[in-house]
Amino acid sequence: MFDFVRKHTKIMMFLMFLLIIPAFVLVGVDGYRRMNGGGEAVAKVGSHGITQAEWDAAHKNETDRLRASMPNVDPKLLDSAEARYVTLERLVRERVMADAAQGAHLITTDARLARELQQNPTIASLRKPDGTMDMERYRQLAASQGLTPEGFEARVRNDLSMQQVETGIKDTAFATAAQAAAALNAFYERREVQVVRFAAADYAGKVTPSDADIEAFYQANQAMFQAPEVANVEYVVLDLDSVKKTISINEQDLKSYYEQNAARLSGKEERRASHILLNAPKDMPVAERQKVKDRATALLAQLRKAPETFAEVARKNSQDTGSAANGGDLDFFGRGAMVKPFEEAVFAMKKGDISDVVESDFGFHIIKLTDVKAPKQKSFDELRVGMEADLRTQQAQRKFAEVAVEFTNGVYEQSDALKPIADKLKLEVKTFANLQRNTAPAQAGVLANPKLLAAIFSADSVEKKRNTEAIEIGANQLAAARITQYTAARTLPLAEVKVAVRDRLVASRAAEMAKKEGQEKLEAWKANAAGASLPAAVVVSREQTQNIPAPVITAALRADTTSLPAWVGVDLGAQGYAVVRINKVLERPPVAEATLNQERDQVAQWLAGAEVQAYYQSLKDQYKVQIKVAKPNSAVPHPQ
């Protein structure tokens, strides 16, 4: 059969052509995309569909990001239906903005993209000491997000284009003085209040529950008295240090490394220079900045004729107050100590040279190189220990990828034990008892990693006691674990928790008694204010709470004050109840003009946000957005 295929390649290609082309005609290219696109669309934006696979991948990326930034976040919160729905809404928004940008022909130029990448602090951290980009680290950064450098740049370009859609609305928003005043006066308004607290703790002594009461409360609230699920685990960690232990350094490699790096390892070259600075800040008008440059050029011409007068000219003309009095002398410095243009000029000069006019963010410099201090080269023996460490690290980094593949395959292929792969790679199998799904205080390091915990407590791991997959828990760090004993979450017997049950019951009934008496007093005082026994009045606001609980402050500031005094009751839950009497409404004290301007800018930002949201809603209508997944009933705040 295979011989026939090899001998009749052209015939087979013709047959494949006849089979495939009609299929495209009948099903269409979009049909093939759907077959490979992760199933039916869960949302649509115009003609574009968002598939289940895209949603799952986006939520996984979002979950990984949040776990990395907030290690102690509850994994159940991230995996909830509400959190997943938030991710879907974000995907829809991105698709809407991308279509809007394309429809408005909003593009990002190469220059704008380059400027954005240069300003990005993460990208900036990848630069070498000489200012050039470390392309290997740049590729690693892109790969960590599942992208090539080209793909990463394309995504940044798309993001910038989408931002232009919102910017066109956001930058045109403003708040009038009247709008700002109305909003700010309401927000910073003060009120004179009298607050009576009915604390639940004051009623606890009046509660005497029977055994039957305790039993009934326990049966009705068993979720309060549960022991969490726990597992005894064994785990293995593969990291750079463990790979280093397996590496022996060849003497010849060490000598070659010395020959290639002795100068660098012996220390940095330092240079001594003097300069004349004429100040010209970046924001100086172009015409004035040019005048400063012309003056610097004239001084340079003067120095070319009489180089020996440099110190005298610096004392008379330099505007660098720190060095002018010393003839412009800056003492010795190494690379990285000066601004880039200055440094590049100095390290390109020969001793005694005077530079051309050098422009920096501070102004215009004329530089004279007065001395060069080259470090004394250290001997092989002096550098040996450090070189061995460097070489061992370099070789471990190169070897890690190879060992990581072996580790990953090993924990998967022999899934019922970690010892075989640990013995093979000379790793230590560690154990931990009573591990919890949510990070407990005793859990630290590897076992506090959310990804590893999620894998350990997955159904497959719990039910079959299999090894987890190799989980990347950090740079050059993999871990795998296996449950050796598992105890599911369980309701503790009443006999074990009877004291806790009684305390909960007493607290619950005490809060009910406090609330009841508070409500009765409120009605009585409303009917007969003269009979009210109230504490001294205090002035409160959102800025000055007077140590009064936030719910009480909020209720006092929201109360209807068309008729004073006004009364309001506040249910404080387990803390009891509060009754508030509002006597006066006081205007906000005068504030400095600068503060007022800042607050007006804040109001403008709030309005801009509201206008952007309204514009987005109109775009959703324009692009006929359909989210085909039902929104969860109870929205859980999504961590940001």
Side-chain angles (χ1 to χ4, degrees):
M1 177 64 183
F2 290 108
D3 288 338
F4 177 83
V5 172
R6 283 194 292 269
K7 292 177 182 178
H8 301 86
T9 303
K10 290 184 178 180
I11 295 173
M12 294 302 295
M13 289 176 65
F14 179 70
L15 289 172
M16 293 294 288
F17 179 83
L18 290 178
L19 290 169
I20 292 172
I21 295 303
F24 270 100
V25 172
L26 292 171
V27 180
V29 175
D30 285 342
Y32 277 90
R33 285 178 180 164
R34 284 193 297 271
M35 283 190 286
N36 296 300
E40 290 295 321
V42 292
K44 289 195 73 175
V45 179
S47 60
H48 298 280
I50 297 173
T51 65
Q52 181 71 47
E54 290 172 320
W55 183 15
D56 291 342
H59 188 67
K60 182 180 183 301
N61 291 337
E62 180 72 357
T63 298
D64 290 347
R65 181 185 70 82
L66 290 170
R67 282 173 173 166
S69 61
M70 298 183 294
N72 294 327
V73 69
D74 185 350
K76 293 180 180 177
L77 175 62
L78 299 182
D79 292 334
S80 67
E82 292 81 5
R84 288 181 57 79
Y85 195 84
V86 169
T87 300
L88 180 57
E89 288 182 317
R90 178 176 58 80
L91 285 177
V92 169
R93 187 183 183 96
E94 289 175 356
R95 183 69 261 170
V96 168
M97 292 302 179
D99 284 0
Q102 185 177 5
H105 305 291
L106 298 174
I107 61 172
T108 298
T109 64
D110 291 342
R112 175 71 182 90
L113 174 64
R115 188 164 66 251
E116 175 67 20
L117 293 175
Q118 288 171 356
Q119 294 172 349
N120 187 305
T122 303
I123 303 296
S125 69
L126 304 180
R127 295 191 179 280
K128 298 178 182 177
D130 63 2
T132 60
M133 180 64 68
D134 187 332
M135 292 307 298
E136 181 58 33
R137 292 177 64 200
Y138 182 53
R139 279 190 286 270
Q140 290 174 1
L141 172 66
S144 69
Q145 301 177 39
L147 299 167
T148 62
E150 295 76 14
F152 175 77
E153 290 164 12
R155 190 174 72 178
V156 174
R157 190 189 296 271
N158 289 337
D159 289 346
L160 291 173
S161 296
M162 288 190 288
Q163 287 172 18
Q164 294 181 67
V165 178
E166 291 190 1
T167 301
I169 302 298
K170 190 182 296 182
D171 289 355
T172 59
F174 65 93
T176 65
Q179 285 176 311
L184 293 170
N185 289 340
F187 187 81
Y188 291 110
E189 182 181 271
R190 300 177 300 156
R191 295 188 174 186
E192 182 187 279
V193 301
Q194 292 170 282
V195 180
V196 181
R197 292 281 303 273
F198 297 86
D202 295 339
Y203 296 82
K206 301 177 182 179
V207 181
T208 53
S210 65
D211 286 345
D213 292 335
I214 294 172
E215 171 74 25
F217 187 81
Y218 169 78
Q219 294 298 337
N221 299 279
Q222 292 191 10
M224 294 182 181
F225 310 106
Q226 284 201 332
E229 61 179 333
V230 293
N232 294 346
V233 299
E234 58 182 22
Y235 64 101
V236 176
V237 179
L238 174 70
D239 56 18
L240 214 54
D241 287 339
S242 59
V243 177
K244 283 180 186 178
K245 294 176 183 177
T246 67
I247 291 175
S248 301
I249 301 300
N250 182 285
E251 189 72 12
Q252 185 56 47
D253 289 344
L254 202 58
K255 289 180 179 178
S256 298
Y257 187 76
Y258 174 76
E259 293 169 2
Q260 296 166 9
N261 297 278
R264 176 180 65 81
L265 295 173
S266 296
K268 294 181 179 180
E269 177 186 291
E270 292 185 330
R271 296 195 165 204
R272 185 171 193 165
S274 298
H275 81 139
I276 298 167
L277 170 66
L278 300 184
N279 292 329
K282 288 175 66 177
D283 56 356
M284 178 181 281
V286 176
E288 292 183 28
R289 193 174 174 88
Q290 184 59 46
K291 288 180 183 178
V292 177
K293 185 176 182 180
D294 291 343
R295 184 179 164 214
T297 303
L299 286 175
L300 177 62
Q302 177 184 334
L303 290 168
R304 295 286 190 215
K305 295 176 183 178
E308 70 281 359
T309 65
F310 190 96
E312 181 183 349
V313 173
R315 275 190 286 270
K316 292 181 179 179
N317 297 276
S318 180
Q319 294 173 330
D320 179 359
T321 55
S323 67
N326 298 323
D329 181 36
L330 297 169
D331 209 340
F332 282 99
F333 56 87
R335 286 189 180 275
M338 301 295 179
V339 292
K340 203 68 182 175
F342 191 99
E343 177 186 293
E344 289 175 350
V346 168
F347 281 87
M349 295 165 65
K350 295 178 182 177
K351 185 176 179 179
D353 283 355
I354 294 177
S355 71
D356 293 331
V357 174
V358 176
E359 182 176 356
S360 78
D361 290 346
F362 299 102
F364 298 95
H365 310 257
I366 302 170
I367 308 167
K368 181 176 182 180
L369 182 63
T370 56
D371 203 354
V372 176
K373 186 191 292 184
K376 179 185 176 182
Q377 184 164 314
K378 295 182 179 180
S379 69
F380 178 84
D381 289 336
E382 288 176 305
L383 296 174
R384 183 183 190 100
V385 174
M387 291 190 301
E388 283 182 346
D390 288 349
L391 271 178
R392 185 169 278 107
T393 298
Q394 291 176 15
Q395 292 183 22
Q397 287 173 336
R398 287 195 292 268
K399 187 179 179 182
F400 184 83
E402 173 189 336
V403 179
V405 172
E406 192 172 359
F407 179 79
T408 301
N409 292 339
V411 298
Y412 174 77
E413 290 167 358
Q414 193 159 350
S415 61
D416 59 349
L418 291 171
K419 192 173 186 304
I421 191 63
D423 291 344
K424 186 175 182 180
L425 299 180
K426 297 181 172 58
L427 303 174
E428 179 186 358
V429 177
K430 300 178 180 180
T431 61
F432 189 91
N434 296 323
L435 182 73
Q436 296 183 24
R437 182 188 293 266
N438 298 321
T439 307
Q443 295 168 212
V446 172
L447 293 178
N449 183 274
K451 287 185 182 179
L452 184 59
L453 285 173
I456 290 172
F457 285 96
S458 67
D460 190 58
S461 179
V462 169
E463 294 169 8
K464 301 178 181 177
K465 306 291 190 297
R466 288 178 176 168
N467 299 341
T468 68
E469 62 181 337
I471 304 293
E472 185 177 8
I473 57 175
N476 295 322
Q477 193 174 30
L478 295 174
R482 189 177 76 86
I483 291 178
T484 56
Q485 184 178 340
Y486 175 79
T487 304
R490 61 192 176 89
T491 300
L492 296 168
L494 177 58
E496 289 185 24
V497 293
K498 187 171 183 178
V499 173
V501 174
R502 186 186 187 283
D503 290 344
R504 291 270 191 142
L505 175 56
V506 168
S508 175
R509 289 191 176 176
E512 291 172 4
M513 292 170 68
K515 179 179 178 180
K516 181 182 178 183
E517 184 167 351
Q519 289 174 332
E520 290 172 353
K521 292 290 186 184
L522 174 60
E523 294 306 316
W525 292 340
K526 279 182 179 180
N528 180 22
S533 177
L534 304 175
V538 294
V539 175
V540 299
S541 68
R542 289 181 174 84
E543 292 178 300
Q544 297 176 326
T545 62
Q546 309 290 1
N547 294 321
I548 295 173
V552 177
I553 295 293
T554 301
L557 293 172
R558 287 181 176 176
D560 183 1
T561 56
T562 52
S563 176
L564 292 174
W567 295 85
V568 63
V570 187
D571 186 352
L572 298 175
Q575 303 304 313
Y577 197 80
V579 174
V580 184
R581 171 173 156 152
I582 301 98
N583 299 323
K584 296 179 184 177
V585 175
L586 306 171
E587 291 185 0
R588 183 190 186 191
V591 295
E593 186 65 26
T595 301
L596 205 55
N597 290 334
Q598 289 178 351
E599 291 173 350
R600 286 171 182 162
D601 290 342
Q602 181 63 62
V603 173
Q605 289 179 24
W606 292 337
L607 289 174
E611 290 183 10
V612 167
Q613 186 60 24
Y615 180 58
Y616 170 61
Q617 292 299 326
S618 70
L619 288 175
K620 286 174 69 176
D621 294 338
Q622 178 182 335
Y623 290 104
K624 298 180 174 59
V625 169
Q626 301 175 43
I627 297 182
K628 300 183 178 183
V629 177
K631 186 172 184 177
N633 292 328
S634 58
V636 173
H638 189 55
Q640 294 296 333

